[in-house]
Amino acid sequence: MTQPVLTATGISKRFGPVLALRDVAFHVERGEIHALLGINGAGKSTFIKILSGMIQKDTGSIRIAGQEVDLRSPKDSIRAGIATVQQHPELVHDMNGLDNIFLGRESRRPGLFGRVDRKAMQSRAEALLARFSVPLDLAREVGSMAAVEREAVAILQALADDDIKVLILDEPTSTLTDVEREDLFELMNQLRAQGISIIYITHQLEEVFAIADSFSVFRGGTCVARMSVADAKASDVSLATMMLGEAIGDIFPPKADPDSAGEVVLKVSGLASASKFSGISFQARKNEILGIFGLVGSGCEELAKAIFGVEALDRGEIEVNGKAVAPKTPRDALDAGIFLVPGDRRTEGLALDRPAVFNVPMANLRRAAGGGWALRGRSVRADSKSLTEQVALHPPSLSTPASGFSGGNQQKIVLAKGLYTQADVYIFVEPTIGVDIGARAKIYGLMRELSETAAVIVISSDCDEVFGVADRTIAMHKGRQVEPGSGVFNRDALLFAGIMGERKQ
């Protein structure tokens, strides 16, 4: 039997009173794609940070190709042969692909006097492209690239150092379309064929069976299972049950009774914004969830931002509770009772370096100040504690910076922030990107609860999500609304309308 390329034994890590990892045993074979699974808070992120050299383990050992390594910094991990592509790759968008790949490594000679050798950089880049057959124009600015191209640049950046044995990919498909995901899988297969092992973190469980050779499941800070995908298929294993430790039914809450829809809260008529969308009209009511499905480029996200006052409207009318409103800024929208849960929580939804107790009241400072000039610290803390408990934030810390939480728990902080506003209209854009199955069920349940007192709109490029959670659905295609033939789409008709821009006959 060949020796695993990476072996971890007895790995433990404590943060104050929280035991994040407990005696973890884990290994990866050479040239395999190994999925790392677990709900938010299971310990995956902490373990990956240890392998990446970002934090240090308290106990245990890590071996690469049988040799014990001491990973005290990201440089140590790279020298040992471990490279990591984070969920949100730190690329410089106004620099081209070539400069991003070799950022900080423009010269083979270290120190201040190393000369930037662009000819050598170009030669090394061409060798990388030839080795992995990646169709990239590295002269283009990264900001102009598609999401899958940026992911490829980040992977090449990670592999630019010699002798990388293990590549860690953290949620690489979270912002990709289905076509882009297949392109990424093709690149991953090339890496596997060349003997590079991949640790693949994903919450999209269907991807495990599509691309991985094996998987490990983390739960409660330890690795509770390791299995080959072939064995899992043969045994009809439920990955969700393994992750949660219990059987899970339908993650979507029951739909509302069609006859129970309440009064209209939000009404939009003839909304148009430059070349992004036009002719958008719909109503959102209490006691129901309205779903809007559209692929990237459909105009869905721009529509949400226009209603929230971020994007300018050329024409159209918006009413909240029968009153005309014309939000020019997010402040205007918040004052009108509209709250947006944005698609990019990191840059648009949170102050990442500030804790939950700062983020939660941020969109309703009037409530936080109680009508006065100063924030009511004790009241704000009590409200923040109650709301973070309601959304099941884990760990339940009000003082930890938002950046210290997993993606799913960051989303929960945004949800608590929205609940604090006590809005009349809640618009959720791509609400479960990077969120595990257990947290998704919690979020969908919160949406259903919110719909009892407010209008709830879910906008997503995931057709199954829109159809699963919504009571009524709309499709958008290339900036225009596709009307359902019967008033309500079935799942296949909704998908067809979003992809083809017309009703399914």
Side-chain angles (χ1 to χ4, degrees):
M1 184 175 178
T2 60
Q3 187 178 63
V5 67
L6 182 149
T7 305
T9 54
I11 304 297
S12 296
K13 180 65 181 180
R14 181 180 292 275
F15 297 98
V18 178
L19 185 61
L21 293 176
R22 183 180 70 256
D23 197 28
V24 169
F26 178 89
H27 73 273
V28 179
E29 302 292 343
R30 181 180 183 275
E32 77 166 347
I33 298 176
H34 186 81
L36 178 54
L37 309 176
I39 66 172
N40 294 120
K44 305 186 308 298
S45 296
T46 300
F47 182 65
I48 290 305
K49 286 177 181 178
I50 288 172
L51 294 182
S52 303
M54 298 173 66
I55 60 176
Q56 284 72 58
K57 57 184 170 53
D58 293 336
T59 63
S61 67
I62 299 171
R63 294 179 177 272
I64 300 294
Q67 182 72 36
E68 186 164 357
V69 293
D70 189 16
L71 309 178
R72 294 188 171 274
S73 71
K75 285 187 176 180
D76 289 340
S77 290
I78 291 172
R79 290 192 195 101
I82 304 171
T84 304
V85 177
Q86 302 293 345
Q87 182 178 359
H88 303 280
E90 300 296 333
L91 300 174
V92 182
H93 281 214
D94 58 357
M95 292 174 61
N96 66 26
L98 179 69
D99 289 333
N100 268 279
I101 289 174
F102 297 107
L103 189 62
R105 297 170 292 187
E106 294 86 352
S107 171
R108 291 287 193 182
R109 179 181 177 183
L112 293 175
F113 300 104
R115 181 175 63 87
V116 175
D117 189 342
R118 299 199 66 82
K119 185 176 180 180
M121 286 169 57
Q122 187 65 46
S123 177
R124 291 160 64 195
E126 288 173 358
L128 280 171
L129 292 177
R131 180 182 176 190
F132 300 115
S133 302
V134 182
L136 273 178
D137 179 4
L138 295 182
R140 287 174 56 203
E141 287 189 359
V142 164
S144 69
M145 292 182 177
V148 70
E149 293 175 311
R150 291 195 294 272
E151 190 72 30
V153 169
I155 290 173
L156 293 178
Q157 183 187 65
L159 297 174
D161 286 276
D162 297 331
D163 202 27
I164 295 298
K165 300 178 179 67
V166 179
L167 177 66
I168 300 171
L169 298 180
D170 188 2
E171 289 285 346
T173 64
S174 61
T175 60
L176 303 186
T177 66
D178 289 344
V179 173
E180 289 175 327
R181 181 179 64 177
E182 294 305 315
D183 290 340
L184 177 63
F185 284 177
E186 184 178 342
L187 174 56
M188 291 170 63
N189 283 324
Q190 290 183 44
L191 299 176
R192 171 171 53 190
Q194 296 199 28
I196 294 174
S197 302
I198 298 174
I199 299 176
Y200 184 66
I201 299 98
T202 182
H203 290 307
Q204 305 301 319
L205 301 186
E206 70 279 3
E207 294 180 359
V208 177
F209 295 104
I211 189 65
D213 301 298
S214 58
F215 62 88
S216 291
V217 177
F218 275 38
R219 190 170 69 237
T222 192
C223 184
V224 297
R226 189 189 198 280
M227 183 178 289
S228 74
V229 166
D231 287 345
K233 287 180 178 178
S235 304
D236 197 22
V237 163
S238 167
L239 299 181
T241 299
M242 294 181 74
M243 290 166 60
L244 293 167
E246 58 185 3
I248 184 171
D250 193 341
I251 65 171
F252 299 111
K255 293 184 183 289
D257 184 334
D259 298 326
S260 68
E263 64 269 25
V264 174
V265 180
L266 175 71
K267 180 180 179 181
V268 303
S269 305
L271 296 190
S273 177
S275 60
K276 298 169 185 174
F277 58 84
S278 64
I280 307 299
S281 301
F282 61 81
Q283 297 178 352
R285 302 171 179 269
K286 286 183 183 178
N287 294 326
E288 70 171 9
I289 296 175
L290 174 66
I292 304 179
F293 166 63
L295 303 178
V296 175
S298 66
C300 285
E301 185 170 356
E302 291 81 1
L303 171 64
K305 289 182 176 180
I307 296 172
F308 193 59
V310 176
E311 299 272 359
L313 279 172
D314 294 334
R315 58 186 178 276
E317 298 176 350
I318 302 173
E319 293 181 11
V320 177
N321 291 322
K323 180 182 177 181
V325 298
K328 297 292 193 298
T329 66
R331 181 74 268 163
D332 293 341
L334 290 167
D335 289 343
I338 303 170
F339 185 81
L340 174 69
V341 178
D344 188 345
R345 55 183 169 260
R346 292 174 59 86
T347 61
E348 299 174 339
L350 293 169
L352 286 173
D353 60 342
R354 305 304 294 269
V357 73
F358 176 91
N359 276 282
V360 169
M362 194 161 50
N364 194 348
L365 295 179
R366 289 191 182 93
R367 176 184 173 186
W373 292 97
L375 299 183
R376 300 177 301 167
R378 184 175 298 177
S379 175
V380 167
R381 189 168 188 85
D383 288 338
S384 297
K385 183 174 186 295
S386 174
L387 292 173
T388 52
E389 288 175 351
Q390 184 176 342
V391 300
L393 182 68
H394 182 80
S397 171
L398 294 180
S399 56
T400 301
S403 60
F405 288 91
S406 64
N409 282 291
Q410 288 176 358
Q411 188 75 325
K412 290 177 181 179
I413 296 174
V414 179
L415 291 175
K417 176 182 168 184
L419 294 174
Y420 191 85
T421 66
Q422 299 176 321
D424 296 308
V425 179
Y426 289 91
I427 304 173
F428 293 82
V429 178
E430 304 289 0
T432 59
I433 283 181
V435 176
D436 68 69
I437 191 167
R440 289 206 302 271
K442 179 67 177 179
I443 290 170
Y444 297 144
L446 282 170
M447 290 176 181
R448 183 58 66 189
E449 291 176 18
L450 279 174
S451 71
E452 296 174 4
T453 57
V456 175
I457 302 171
V458 178
I459 297 175
S460 177
S461 58
D462 183 340
C463 181
D464 290 329
E465 176 170 70
V466 172
F467 184 72
V469 75
D471 303 299
R472 286 192 301 116
T473 52
I474 292 171
M476 285 183 62
H477 178 80
K478 294 184 178 179
R480 68 182 181 86
Q481 183 174 337
V482 186
E483 289 289 354
S486 59
V488 178
F489 281 115
N490 62 40
R491 188 265 182 197
D492 290 344
L494 180 65
L495 181 63
F496 186 87
I499 292 175
M500 302 302 296
E502 60 187 64
R503 293 194 298 268
K504 189 174 184 179
Q505 301 301 318

